[in-house]
Amino acid sequence: MPVWALYLLVVAIWGSSWYGIEQQLGVVAPQVSLAYRFLLSAAILIAFCILTRRSLRFPARAYGIMAVQGFCLFCANYILFYFAGMHLVSGLLAVCFSTMSVMNIINLALFFRQRIDRRALLAAMIGLVGLCLVFYPELRQSGLGTDPAWGLGLSLLATYLASLGNMVSVRLKALSIPVVESNTIGMSFGALFCIAFAILAGASFTYDPRTAYTVSLIGLALFATVIGFGCYLTLVQRIGAARAAYSSVVFPVVALSLSTLLEGYAWSPLAGLGFALVLSGNLLVLMRPRDAAPAGLSSTQPRPS
């Protein structure tokens, strides 16, 4: 599948998945809902690996790295996002997640000694200014220490954990671990970690009988988790974590549109301006200079330390 198709799939699937997360909240503890989600996703991937005769046997060191990926990318970050969803509409969760573009640039420099591209950094900073403008009306109205502030803090921490998971994916590429296999094992570890968190927190393994809960659970497991992560981590391994993360800057387009239609999100002039800046930053990084290597070539890949 070409890079542009992977990019559009990630934006469409993950942009709409934030509303599905909101449908998971209320009755079942977030850790338990995530355990259900990743157990179902892992089962789907295990069945796929069996049908396509993909081996899940790797060196012990690789399993340890995939366990770290499972914790960061398929467990802890999602638990934080589910709790943040109790304080923010789904569209604003997606806006927070767009900061991963900046976090990936910084983490690639820290962990893989990758040079920071000035234009990419400028684009990310424009996006961050837009993020601040989007949230300013919410924080001005409610103040610090309120639901929007808590939701913002939890979302940013969750996003940083997701960025660390991206760095682990880059490391798995250096070890020649394929995306489907690493996702299968990583999601299995993530489900086990979620179960452990639920037990430690004393959460009850109940189930919400609402149709909306079941439909969102299946949709999140199949589309947002199995297909979405498969496409996204393929992008990470093809064009690098920094450029792949810019798909997250487009998520608010879909997510805030759904929040406007389904959750009553009220736009303000500042939020509109901020939203435009977020899109502008994304377009800036996607406009490749004429002398740059085509998307998908190894020149964009970071060097493992």
Side-chain angles (χ1 to χ4, degrees):
M1 187 177 293
V3 168
W4 65 266
L6 290 169
Y7 191 92
L8 289 179
L9 273 176
V10 169
V11 169
I13 292 173
W14 280 359
S16 58
S17 69
W18 299 98
Y19 182 71
I21 289 176
E22 293 283 351
Q23 302 307 303
Q24 295 280 289
L25 304 174
V27 176
V28 183
Q31 305 96 315
V32 176
S33 285
L34 285 167
Y36 295 155
R37 172 178 173 176
F38 288 120
L39 281 173
L40 181 56
S41 300
I44 293 171
L45 282 173
I46 289 171
F48 177 77
C49 288
I50 292 173
L51 289 173
T52 55
R53 298 182 178 179
R54 295 171 182 261
S55 175
L56 296 177
R57 295 181 179 179
F58 299 101
R61 179 188 179 193
Y63 285 110
I65 297 175
M66 286 184 277
V68 175
Q69 183 188 50
F71 177 82
C72 293
L73 209 53
F74 305 123
C75 177
N77 70 314
Y78 271 102
I79 290 175
L80 291 174
F81 267 125
Y82 273 48
F83 279 110
M86 298 177 182
H87 305 287
L88 295 175
V89 298
S90 60
L92 293 181
L93 294 178
V95 174
C96 290
F97 192 68
S98 69
T99 60
M100 188 168 66
S101 58
V102 178
M103 296 179 185
N104 276 1
I105 290 173
I106 294 172
N107 281 334
L108 284 168
L110 289 175
F111 295 108
F112 296 97
R113 303 194 303 275
Q114 178 167 303
R115 182 179 62 85
I116 296 179
D117 180 75
R118 292 182 180 178
R119 192 182 60 165
L121 185 59
L122 174 62
M125 296 308 297
I126 291 174
L128 277 182
V129 172
L131 173 68
C132 294
L133 292 179
V134 168
F135 264 93
Y136 179 73
E138 299 280 333
L139 296 178
R140 181 182 61 182
Q141 181 179 359
S142 302
L144 297 176
T146 58
D147 279 359
W150 273 105
L152 176 61
L154 290 172
S155 296
L156 291 177
L157 180 56
T159 302
Y160 187 73
L161 285 171
S163 177
L164 292 179
N166 281 203
M167 300 305 105
V168 178
S169 179
V170 173
R171 184 58 182 163
L172 289 171
K173 176 180 172 56
L175 296 175
S176 301
I177 307 295
V179 170
V180 172
E181 289 84 336
S182 65
N183 276 0
T184 302
I185 298 171
M187 287 178 194
S188 299
F189 276 117
L192 294 176
F193 288 136
C194 288
I195 292 172
F197 273 117
I199 293 173
L200 290 174
S204 176
F205 283 81
T206 56
Y207 190 82
D208 187 345
R210 291 180 303 122
T211 301
Y213 182 86
T214 301
V215 171
S216 62
L217 177 63
I218 295 173
L220 288 170
L222 177 59
F223 293 100
T225 307
V226 174
I227 298 176
F229 270 107
C231 292
Y232 179 75
L233 293 179
T234 299
L235 276 177
V236 170
Q237 295 199 358
R238 283 195 192 178
I239 64 176
R243 293 183 64 195
Y246 287 102
S247 60
S248 67
V249 184
V250 192
F251 295 162
V253 178
V254 179
L256 279 176
S257 298
L258 289 175
S259 286
T260 302
L261 294 173
L262 303 175
E263 298 176 289
Y265 175 71
W267 288 84
S268 67
L270 275 180
L273 175 60
F275 193 61
L277 288 175
V278 169
L279 292 181
S280 299
N282 184 70
L283 290 174
L284 178 61
V285 79
L286 291 178
M287 293 173 60
R288 179 170 52 86
R290 293 181 180 180
D291 59 346
L297 295 185
S298 60
S299 61
T300 60
Q301 295 293 345
R303 294 178 290 106
S305 58

